[in-house]
Amino acid sequence: MDFIQTIVLALIQGISEFLPISSSAHLILVPKLSGWTDQGLAFDVVVHMGTLVAVVYYYKHIISQLLSDFYLCIVERKTIGESKLAWGVLLGTIPVGIFGFLFKDFIANDLRSIEIITYTTLVFGVLLGIAVLLDTRRPHAREILAWKDIVFIGVMQTLALVPGVSRSGVTITAGLLIGLSKKATIQFAFLLSIPVITLSVLLILIGIYQQQQMVDLTLLVVGFVVSGISAYLTIIFFIRALNTMSMMPFVVYRLFLGISLLML
């Protein structure tokens, strides 16, 4: 892997991780369509760590509050402040953690084809479009998550293990479908990304431990920095942009990409 490939793939990870367009699909498609060699597990770790640092830094104040209230909730055995949201993030992560661990080999070996990415891109693009239309026609949206909302979003998040679905895309779709506001949905989706990305990094590290790989530390550092900065700027752009626009452009992009892949 050379310097240009490092920059391109790190940018793809950083930009697409938090947009509803599937970072895993783009990290598979670009090397395959361009004829590049596989970037390797070590590179996957550092670019995921870059996006993890970005989202943690963006939500640092909320995360601090969640951890504090979560601790007090356990000690005092009652709901305190944002402790319900903290429990929600934990509960919402359990399904994807279980499925990811049980089926990691099947996902890595059998679900990374362009054909699967084509159909998941189209199907979940349509679902996101339906969710966006329902949201625009809804007079009032809920800001508070119920436990059933958390369970539903958590279960739906397991579908994002399949490349092309998009973790942020499917959680945002789930939230909008059950009547949550864009603000509440996106915040919960992004907070859910923190333990999920952490788990994915741990799984990749296990793979690295099992496979001895030669790595270029310079390229890994570049990948980490580029993915982290691009992810942070993308989060800022995405959240601010949704105050004045809908997510329909991402629906159009998914449909355009899926149809283009069908034609190929």
Side-chain angles (χ1 to χ4, degrees), residues 64 158 261:
S64 176
T158 62
L261 292 173

Side-chain angles (χ1 to χ4, degrees), residues 152-243:
F152 178 70
I153 295 173
V155 172
M156 287 290 286
Q157 187 177 217
T158 62
L159 298 174
L161 293 168
V162 183
V165 173
S166 172
R167 192 209 58 79
S168 63
V170 75
T171 50
I172 291 172
T173 298
L176 294 180
L177 285 176
I178 57 180
L180 291 174
S181 69
K182 283 194 297 185
K183 180 181 178 181
T185 297
I186 291 169
Q187 177 176 280
F188 187 59
F190 281 15
L191 290 174
L192 272 180
S193 73
I194 296 172
V196 171
I197 296 175
T198 303
L199 288 174
S200 68
V201 167
L202 292 175
L203 286 176
I204 298 172
L205 285 173
I206 293 173
I208 292 176
Y209 178 77
Q210 296 170 344
Q211 306 174 18
Q212 294 186 355
Q213 294 184 346
M214 297 294 292
V215 298
D216 187 324
L217 291 178
T218 301
L219 294 182
L220 293 184
V221 171
V222 171
F224 173 79
V225 173
V226 172
S227 65
I229 293 175
S230 58
Y232 183 73
L233 294 176
T234 299
I235 294 172
I236 294 174
F237 161 78
F238 186 51
I239 292 177
R240 290 181 179 176
L242 289 182
N243 291 326

Side-chain angles (χ1 to χ4, degrees), residues 6-232:
T6 299
I7 295 293
V8 171
L9 294 180
L11 281 173
I12 289 173
Q13 170 65 23
I15 294 172
S16 60
E17 176 65 37
F18 299 106
L19 298 181
I21 58 175
S22 180
S23 61
S24 60
H26 286 76
L27 285 176
I28 293 170
L29 288 173
V30 171
K32 283 190 175 183
L33 296 178
S34 61
W36 289 346
T37 57
D38 186 84
Q39 59 266 29
L41 293 176
F43 183 80
D44 286 347
V45 166
V46 297
V47 294
H48 276 81
M49 288 178 63
T51 56
L52 178 61
V53 169
V55 70
V56 168
Y57 183 74
Y58 184 84
Y59 283 110
K60 58 184 181 295
H61 299 300
I62 295 177
I63 293 171
S64 176
Q65 187 66 50
L66 289 176
L67 292 175
S68 175
D69 291 344
F70 183 72
Y71 171 75
L72 291 175
C73 172
I74 294 176
V75 172
E76 301 185 19
R77 298 183 180 181
K78 63 180 181 180
T79 301
I80 295 177
E82 297 293 336
S83 59
K84 180 181 178 181
L85 179 58
W87 279 108
V89 172
L90 180 62
L91 178 62
T93 305
I94 292 174
V96 72
I98 294 173
F99 277 84
F101 179 77
L102 292 177
F103 300 105
K104 62 180 186 298
D105 293 331
F106 173 70
I107 294 167
N109 298 325
D110 300 304
L111 296 181
R112 295 174 63 87
S113 69
I114 293 180
E115 290 81 5
I116 288 177
I117 291 173
T118 299
Y119 293 117
T120 54
T121 297
L122 287 170
V123 170
F124 287 91
V126 171
L127 282 178
L128 177 61
I130 293 172
V132 170
L133 289 176
L134 289 175
D135 179 62
T136 57
R137 298 178 181 179
R138 188 179 292 122
H140 302 289
R142 293 184 290 115
E143 297 289 341
I144 306 299
L145 281 81
W147 289 114
K148 62 181 180 180
D149 301 331
I150 293 168
V151 172
F152 178 70
I153 295 173
V155 172
M156 287 290 286
Q157 187 177 217
T158 62
L159 298 174
L161 293 168
V162 183
V165 173
S166 172
R167 192 209 58 79
S168 63
V170 75
T171 50
I172 291 172
T173 298
L176 294 180
L177 285 176
I178 57 180
L180 291 174
S181 69
K182 283 194 297 185
K183 180 181 178 181
T185 297
I186 291 169
Q187 177 176 280
F188 187 59
F190 281 15
L191 290 174
L192 272 180
S193 73
I194 296 172
V196 171
I197 296 175
T198 303
L199 288 174
S200 68
V201 167
L202 292 175
L203 286 176
I204 298 172
L205 285 173
I206 293 173
I208 292 176
Y209 178 77
Q210 296 170 344
Q211 306 174 18
Q212 294 186 355
Q213 294 184 346
M214 297 294 292
V215 298
D216 187 324
L217 291 178
T218 301
L219 294 182
L220 293 184
V221 171
V222 171
F224 173 79
V225 173
V226 172
S227 65
I229 293 175
S230 58
Y232 183 73

